[in-house]
Amino acid sequence: MVLKEIENLQFHSQLSLKQVEDRLLITADFSPGLKKNLRMKEPFLYVTLYVRGGARIKIIDEDSAALFIAAKKDFDEDTYERVIAFAKSHARQFKEET
């Protein structure tokens, strides 16, 4: 499955661990087909950005607390880059870079 039907990203909240990582909750519009494939009703993105490089994206369903840990290969390349760039633009430790 390739995740590419994620639109309208909106920053929700953040936890920043100084010089270690930023964790962000991002809401988005997921297509009905993607929600069905993930078996989720109200998914949101939980993005962890590591200061020394790397990122992790999890998709959590607010309705059932179901968790999908997405690897980079699970995303369409453009969608992955857009989600990471959006997260970095809202993360305290990456504000200078964007």
Side-chain angles (χ1 to χ4, degrees):
M1 166 177 37
V2 176
L3 305 171
K4 64 180 179 177
E5 300 152 347
I6 301 171
E7 301 295 330
N8 195 24
L9 300 172
Q10 296 180 13
F11 174 70
H12 188 64
S13 69
Q14 170 189 10
L15 169 66
S16 183
L17 302 174
K18 189 173 182 179
Q19 298 180 350
V20 178
E21 66 188 34
D22 283 295
R23 297 177 183 207
L24 300 101
L25 296 180
I26 300 170
T27 58
D29 293 333
F30 291 76
S31 73
L34 183 55
K35 286 191 220 180
K36 185 177 179 181
N37 284 341
L38 294 173
R39 297 184 184 131
M40 296 183 175
K41 291 182 181 177
E42 298 180 45
F44 64 90
L45 300 167
Y46 180 81
V47 181
T48 305
L49 300 172
Y50 299 99
V51 173
R52 295 182 185 230
R56 181 172 293 162
I57 300 174
K58 297 177 185 177
I59 301 172
I60 303 171
D61 186 28
E62 189 171 342
D63 183 60
S64 67
L67 173 67
F68 177 75
I69 300 173
K72 187 175 182 178
K73 66 179 173 78
D74 294 325
F75 282 89
D76 169 72
E77 186 176 337
D78 292 335
T79 302
Y80 181 85
E81 295 301 325
R82 189 167 36 90
V83 169
I84 296 301
F86 181 84
K88 282 185 175 183
S89 73
H90 288 85
R92 279 190 204 134
Q93 298 180 80
F94 292 92
K95 289 236 183 208
E96 300 84 44
E97 293 181 15
T98 56

